[in-house]
Amino acid sequence: MNILIAYATYSGGTQAASEFLNQTLTGLGHTVTVKMISEVTFEDTLTYDLRVFASPSWDNDGLEGQPHMDFVTFMNNSSDKKFSGKPVAVFGLGDSSYGHFCGAVDIIEEFVKKAEGKLVTESLKIDGYLFNMDANNQLLTDWANKLKV
Ligand SMILES: Cc1cc2nc3c(=O)[nH]c(=O)nc-3n(C[C@H](O)[C@H](O)[C@H](O)COP(=O)(O)O)c2cc1C
């Protein structure tokens, strides 16, 4: 499969997790492109067999559990666009000490559903990625094996 991983990051964790997922999916025989979500348009994402969206959760305007601002911009710019049944997967980094753990994942999922994307597997919510990388990379590896369209 030709797979796009489109991510955003504030402190590097989601970039590291996206690169790990890239290595894992490449090892499984896929062709993977990793880009920042700020570098792609909605139309760009349609040219792949599968698109994976990855965002940390953060505070925006005093609201917890929000996507990275670049995802907010992407979703706002794409509000009238459709994936038309194309496969999508979502993962996010967060910290369960916050009230709305990985809220960005839920918000991006809603966007995907509204845009008629097909979620190929349950979204992955990763707790404290950089503090427990081995276990979290194992979660990413298990999840990568479920990414079938
Ligand atoms: C100011 C701030 C707000 C955060 N808000 C949340 C949140 O609402 N929910 C959550 O699950 N994690 C929250 N986190 C944790 C981050 O999502 C987590 O550290 C993540 O790994 C950061 O990913 P990044 O390195 O790709 O930016 C917050 C972290 C910071 C510093």
Side-chain angles (χ1 to χ4, degrees):
M1 272 196 289
N2 231 335
I3 302 176
L4 172 69
I5 302 172
Y7 75 93
T9 187
Y10 287 113
S11 47
T14 312
Q15 181 180 21
S18 296
E19 285 301 342
F20 181 82
L21 183 64
N22 173 14
Q23 284 171 31
T24 306
L25 289 168
T26 301
L28 291 170
H30 301 294
T31 302
V32 184
T33 303
V34 182
K35 287 196 170 171
M36 289 191 289
I37 192 73
S38 58
E39 294 178 325
V40 296
T41 64
F42 189 90
E43 286 72 21
D44 293 334
T45 73
L46 300 179
T47 63
Y48 297 83
D49 301 317
L50 169 68
R51 46 268 69 244
V52 178
F53 294 129
S55 175
S57 293
W58 216 261
D59 284 354
N60 288 339
D61 290 331
L63 262 186
E64 278 194 3
Q66 301 298 303
H68 190 289
M69 274 315 294
D70 291 347
F71 265 99
V72 174
T73 302
F74 178 84
M75 293 189 291
N76 287 342
N77 289 343
S78 310
S79 56
D80 58 344
K81 314 232 166 132
K82 299 289 179 210
F83 291 113
S84 307
K86 287 183 187 286
V88 183
V90 180
F91 80 91
L93 269 57
D95 182 329
S96 56
S97 64
Y98 285 87
H100 197 173
F101 173 56
C102 280
V105 169
D106 301 329
I107 291 170
I108 295 170
E109 263 192 5
E110 278 314 304
F111 161 76
V112 169
K113 287 178 188 164
K114 190 164 163 265
E116 296 168 10
K118 181 185 159 209
L119 289 163
V120 296
T121 189
E122 201 174 313
S123 301
L124 178 63
K125 297 181 175 181
I126 299 179
D127 192 6
Y129 180 69
L130 294 171
F131 301 103
N132 200 359
M133 273 184 96
D134 287 349
N136 284 320
N137 282 339
Q138 185 59 53
L139 291 178
L140 275 166
T141 300
D142 295 345
W143 192 70
N145 279 286
K146 295 184 196 160
L147 297 180
K148 301 198 168 76
V149 303

